[in-house]
Amino acid sequence: MAERLCGFESHLPHHFLSMSSRKYLLLLNPWAYDFTAYDFWLRPLGLLYLAAIIRQYTNYELDFIDCLDSSQIDASCHFCPKHRPDGRSSFFKEEVSKPEIFHHIPRKFSRYGLPYTQIESRLEKIAPPEAVLITCTLTYWYPGVQAAVELVRKKFGHVPIILGGVYATLCPDHARSQSGADLVLTGPGENQILRILQEIDGRDQFKSTDELPAFPDFDSLPWPAYELSHNTSVLALLTSRGCPFHCTYCASHLLYQQFEQRQPEKVVAEVRHFWQTLGTKQIAFYDDALLINKDRHLLKILEALAGLNPGLRFHTPNGLHPREIDPELARWLKISGFESIFLSLETSDTTLLAETGAKVSPEDLKWALCHLEEAGFDRNQISVYLLVGLPGQDRSQVVESIRFVKSLGARPRLAYFSPVPGTADWRKLVESGLLKDDSDPLLQNKLVFPYFWSRFTPEDLDDMKKEAARKSTG
Ligand code: SF4
């Protein structure tokens, strides 16, 4: 409850903190600096897992600031985020100067999330923490980290700042030299964070003098500390980490060395807990490979959730593997409350599919849509991801893919290729001289490929978007 009191809206707990001998840590999810951004059920899940570990094993108070939580926007801001009933939301944005590297791109660049002044005055009201933990979800959102670090330094001077998350893991050299953080933590942080706190502040705040705990697998972690969040009606959930596939454009295997699935009963217990204690209504499954081993994993979860009948709505923003969708799974997806279905096809070009990972075929998509329709889903409500901007990809391949998805009655959804360091497609671009090994992570922004290294022009991209949005006439 103490952490709850430390929430964004109350000032009292911070006076309380400054009078207390208890020490506290500040956890911060920074803004997104981008050409565009949208809250697609985004939650700083890694940071919330670390918060749960810290809370379980230490006496630190935790203060959590999520710059991307639109539900906390100040009334004085005169901006009303558009919250969709399914939990997605628009962000408030403030235009900022465009990075020099993007000077020729005729689009505005903005800071998305809560107003800068709101975060600034929030920090004014709190006492200096023992340390600050910052995350960053996308590599090219690192200007948000820099801005947050600068602000923290301005308010608290040389407080230790620890940076983790996707940017720190995929671009550690850049993060070490450019983020301003004191320590860059790569990979999952559960087996690192307590040791780091011990090095910074000793063991005074630890609940036990025993050896530090080890977390051998995903299920050994406590559930994320969602009660620190302001908006608990919409949560993100992971039933697994990693992916058994190795698609040439994907960083999943770089973030998680192995594919690990949780025990279904523990997932169900977690869902039940948050539904009962926090009033959660929408849950987005953020697994990379939710349907793998479905008979002993997702089906077990769905059967239990359907029996529980919590009236929750589920979403799959990361895209499901169409190959795994059979009549039984489709039926359970419907019964258990899946609302927005996103499927991954990437392209209907079978040669390109084979070259990039062969995880799916156009035929798989046809069958998946049939099964989902028979189970009661409207094809028109099913989105199918198509990749745009892959190295060597032709405009005609994308247009054909869009038409193919539309011919099946589903909605094509363009997903722009981002060249992630360490992937096969990144190496291809480096070897061909189109990117450098140490290129600025800003170039991984998924919207800039037509201006740097793709065969597509910005006009091509506009045409593709129109083609995808155009209603089928047939
Ligand atoms: S199947 Fe999806 S998550 Fe797995 S490697 Fe391919 S793109 Fe990544």
Side-chain angles (χ1 to χ4, degrees):
M1 195 61 193
E3 292 85 351
R4 188 74 183 155
L5 289 173
C6 292
F8 204 88
E9 293 190 326
S10 169
H11 302 158
L12 282 176
H14 307 296
H15 299 310
F16 165 77
L17 278 173
S18 60
M19 291 189 298
S20 158
S21 61
R22 299 282 284 277
K23 295 177 171 180
Y24 87 100
L25 305 171
L26 173 61
L27 277 54
L28 205 158
N29 184 32
W31 301 275
Y33 280 62
D34 210 325
F35 294 102
T36 180
Y38 191 73
D39 184 356
F40 216 64
W41 300 287
L42 293 174
R43 295 293 176 273
L45 208 41
L47 199 56
L48 293 169
Y49 269 111
L50 295 193
I53 292 172
I54 294 167
R55 198 173 53 172
Q56 185 163 326
Y57 291 95
T58 78
N59 291 315
Y60 285 108
E61 300 281 357
L62 299 179
D63 202 349
F64 176 58
I65 298 180
D66 185 354
C67 299
L68 294 181
D69 182 355
S70 300
S71 71
Q72 298 185 66
I73 199 152
D74 261 356
S76 61
C77 177
H78 303 303
F79 170 81
C80 191
K82 290 193 188 87
H83 296 291
R84 290 169 60 152
D86 66 8
R88 285 178 277 183
S89 168
S90 60
F91 283 126
F92 170 74
K93 65 176 177 182
E94 296 169 291
E95 190 178 347
V96 295
S97 29
K98 205 158 34 184
E100 180 51 30
I101 198 169
F102 294 154
H103 72 277
H104 58 303
I105 299 181
R107 294 184 66 160
K108 290 179 178 168
F109 201 70
S110 300
R111 174 175 49 238
Y112 290 83
L114 297 176
Y116 187 86
T117 50
Q118 187 177 338
I119 302 300
E120 200 173 27
S121 61
R122 173 77 176 86
L123 291 181
E124 294 284 359
K125 294 180 181 107
I126 61 178
E130 299 308 306
V132 181
L133 277 63
I134 298 190
T135 189
C136 185
T137 319
L138 295 177
T139 54
Y140 52 86
W141 282 356
Y142 75 81
V145 175
Q146 291 174 322
V149 168
E150 196 182 304
L151 193 52
V152 166
R153 292 266 182 251
K154 201 164 103 190
K155 302 295 171 199
F156 304 128
H158 290 296
V159 58
I161 299 180
I162 304 156
L163 172 67
V166 173
Y167 162 56
T169 301
L170 296 178
C171 305
D173 293 338
H174 188 275
R176 283 187 193 107
S177 64
Q178 303 297 322
S179 70
D182 298 295
L183 186 68
V184 170
L185 193 156
T186 60
E190 63 259 20
N191 286 309
Q192 307 181 66
I193 192 62
L194 293 176
R195 181 183 47 76
I196 291 167
L197 291 176
Q198 172 182 279
E199 279 167 21
I200 291 174
D201 197 33
R203 291 285 287 260
D204 282 2
Q205 297 296 315
F206 282 50
K207 289 181 178 165
S208 156
T209 53
D210 295 347
E211 261 187 49
L212 295 180
F215 301 99
D217 55 41
F218 197 13
D219 257 333
S220 61
L221 301 184
W223 296 330
Y226 265 124
E227 53 280 15
L228 294 176
S229 283
H230 185 262
N231 179 5
T232 53
S233 69
V234 183
L235 304 185
L237 178 76
L238 282 175
T239 77
S240 64
R241 291 199 294 202
C243 176
F245 294 97
H246 277 78
C247 299
T248 55
Y249 43 82
C250 180
S252 185
H253 67 287
L254 301 168
L255 296 170
Y256 304 105
Q257 314 256 304
Q258 57 185 33
F259 177 55
E260 225 190 325
Q261 287 181 306
R262 296 174 57 196
Q263 293 173 34
E265 53 277 16
K266 296 202 170 165
V267 175
V268 173
E270 179 181 336
V271 171
R272 184 196 289 127
H273 170 77
F274 288 129
W275 165 59
Q276 288 176 337
T277 59
L278 301 179
T280 300
K281 295 185 173 58
Q282 314 275 346
I283 292 188
F285 285 84
Y286 258 98
D287 297 60
D288 284 335
L290 184 63
L291 305 188
I292 300 298
N293 305 322
K294 59 181 182 285
D295 291 342
R296 58 174 196 267
H297 187 67
L298 187 66
L299 275 171
K300 297 265 179 268
I301 295 170
L302 300 189
E303 285 167 19
L305 288 176
L308 200 61
N309 193 18
L312 286 162
R313 289 288 163 260
F314 300 108
H315 311 278
T316 62
N318 264 0
L320 300 175
H321 292 155
R323 186 173 290 171
E324 299 295 333
I325 298 180
D326 58 18
E328 189 187 12
L329 180 69
R331 196 166 60 84
W332 279 107
L333 288 172
K334 187 68 188 170
I335 293 170
S336 56
F338 275 71
E339 203 170 79
S340 51
I341 298 274
F342 294 80
L343 304 177
S344 295
L345 176 64
E346 322 303 12
T347 172
S348 62
D349 184 297
T350 47
T351 310
L352 192 56
L353 275 174
E355 283 169 8
T356 53
K359 64 176 178 177
V360 61
S361 72
E363 201 62 19
D364 294 332
L365 179 67
K366 281 186 191 171
W367 281 112
L369 288 169
C370 285
H371 300 322
L372 288 166
E373 186 175 50
E374 274 165 24
F377 289 98
D378 183 347
R379 284 180 184 239
N380 200 16
Q381 300 301 316
I382 300 171
S383 299
V384 179
Y385 286 122
L386 297 173
L387 263 173
V388 182
L390 284 166
Q393 193 180 25
D394 280 330
R395 180 193 154 105
S396 62
Q397 287 169 325
V398 179
V399 173
E400 278 310 307
S401 302
I402 293 172
R403 290 180 182 156
F404 174 70
V405 170
K406 285 181 162 181
S407 74
L408 299 178
R411 296 162 66 161
R413 191 171 188 108
L414 303 186
Y416 306 116
F417 168 66
S418 162
V420 183
T423 59
D425 283 335
W426 162 271
R427 282 197 296 279
K428 219 184 272 179
L429 287 170
V430 171
E431 280 158 18
S432 60
L434 291 164
L435 280 177
K436 290 194 203 135
D437 246 336
D438 60 350
S439 284
D440 192 323
L442 286 172
L443 292 182
Q444 293 160 38
N445 187 305
K446 60 186 173 52
L447 289 174
V448 305
F449 62 90
Y451 300 93
F452 287 95
W453 40 262
S454 162
R455 287 186 192 170
F456 301 144
T457 63
E459 293 71 33
D460 288 335
L461 188 55
D462 283 343
D463 289 346
M464 289 172 202
K465 284 194 223 164
K466 282 183 201 145
E467 180 73 37
R470 196 174 298 136
K471 282 208 164 35
S472 306
T473 48

